[in-house]
Amino acid sequence: CPKGLVTSMEQVKDRALKVPRGVGDWILVDQLTAPGEIGVVGSIPKGYRVQTIPVDATTHHSGMLQPGNRIDLFVTYQDTDKETRERVNVSQLVLEYIEVFAVDSAQYGVDQTGENDKARNISLLVTPEQLHKVNLAMKQGDITTVLRSTEDTDAIEVASLDENGLSGRAD
């Protein structure tokens, strides 16, 4: 048996799993929340917050987005071109490689129904600083989520782009 294995029901009393487990998997004591931490709060890592954003069929990828997936978050908003003083649309990266904590009320490792094609909200696992960025982005304009491979952890380092850059009118 692995070290730290749960061996009695008393060890799991008033506790919940912090990580998903399958049928036949070992359950280790360090995979459990502290006594009394039952429910979603026991799954939030120390130093993180859960930020919920509204989505539709497009922004949550027609139901493909699942709890545990990683996304990049972009915002599109209107700004004033510094040279022409005209209003232009701008797209900007807000956060990258952010974990989707939940889709509506389905949480990773807890609810695996796969029936989230009509999701209205996704919840992201963010630091307090990232939470500020998400809040500002939601006020600034339209949020777009971009599904990302869990193996693709490199920073993408993209500059913001306005519609002049998209059309080739700017350098």
Side-chain angles (χ1 to χ4, degrees), residues 63-138:
M64 291 187 293
L65 193 59
Q66 300 290 321
N69 287 156
R70 295 291 183 149
I71 63 164
D72 293 335
L73 194 68
F74 287 82
V75 62
T76 303
Y77 60 95
Q78 282 205 337
D79 201 1
T80 304
D81 184 284
K82 291 176 179 50
E83 292 179 19
T84 66
R85 307 301 296 162
E86 294 176 359
R87 297 295 285 170
V88 293
N89 290 313
V90 177
S91 178
Q92 180 176 339
L93 176 67
V94 178
L95 297 173
E96 58 183 310
Y97 202 70
I98 298 301
E99 182 176 343
V100 176
F101 184 77
V103 176
D104 279 339
S105 63
Q107 183 188 347
Y108 182 58
V110 178
D111 304 296
Q112 296 292 329
T113 63
E115 298 176 10
N116 67 347
D117 60 338
K118 292 181 175 53
R120 294 184 311 265
N121 297 291
I122 61 172
S123 297
L124 308 175
L125 197 57
V126 294
T127 65
E129 293 81 15
Q130 292 169 330
L131 182 129
H132 288 305
K133 288 183 177 184
V134 174
N135 283 335
L136 285 172
M138 287 192 303

